[in-house]
Amino acid sequence: MFGDRYGLGWFWHVGMFVGGLIFTAAVVVVAVLLVRYLIVATRAAQLYLDTNSTIPPAAPPSTKPAPRTPKSPPAA
């Protein structure tokens, strides 16, 4: 290993362990920030659409049939 010639091999192991911890923590922090950003951005986009949308919200379908209109007699 690196540093074995001078009897400092344990420095290498400790450094690799600490570096691994820092790298793992950085990956976890980036993942958490990405998920939080996506959640907030999705909520903000939905609020924007709710406030600025010109399309009316979809109404639930009616269960009763539409009323029938009588046909007019043919013109003579």
Side-chain angles (χ1 to χ4, degrees):
M1 288 264 173
F2 179 76
D4 283 343
R5 186 180 335 166
Y6 303 109
L8 300 175
W10 60 277
F11 273 127
W12 176 259
H13 292 291
V14 170
M16 289 299 290
F17 179 75
V18 171
L21 285 179
I22 291 172
F23 179 76
T24 303
V27 169
V28 169
V29 166
V30 168
V32 168
L33 289 176
L34 177 66
V35 169
R36 286 189 60 191
Y37 170 76
L38 291 175
I39 289 172
V40 170
T42 304
R43 191 176 309 142
Q46 187 61 47
L47 288 173
Y48 176 82
L49 289 176
D50 290 344
T51 343
N52 298 316
S53 179
T54 57
I55 301 172
S62 175
T63 55
K64 62 181 188 176
R68 295 185 60 162
T69 57
K71 291 184 177 181
S72 58

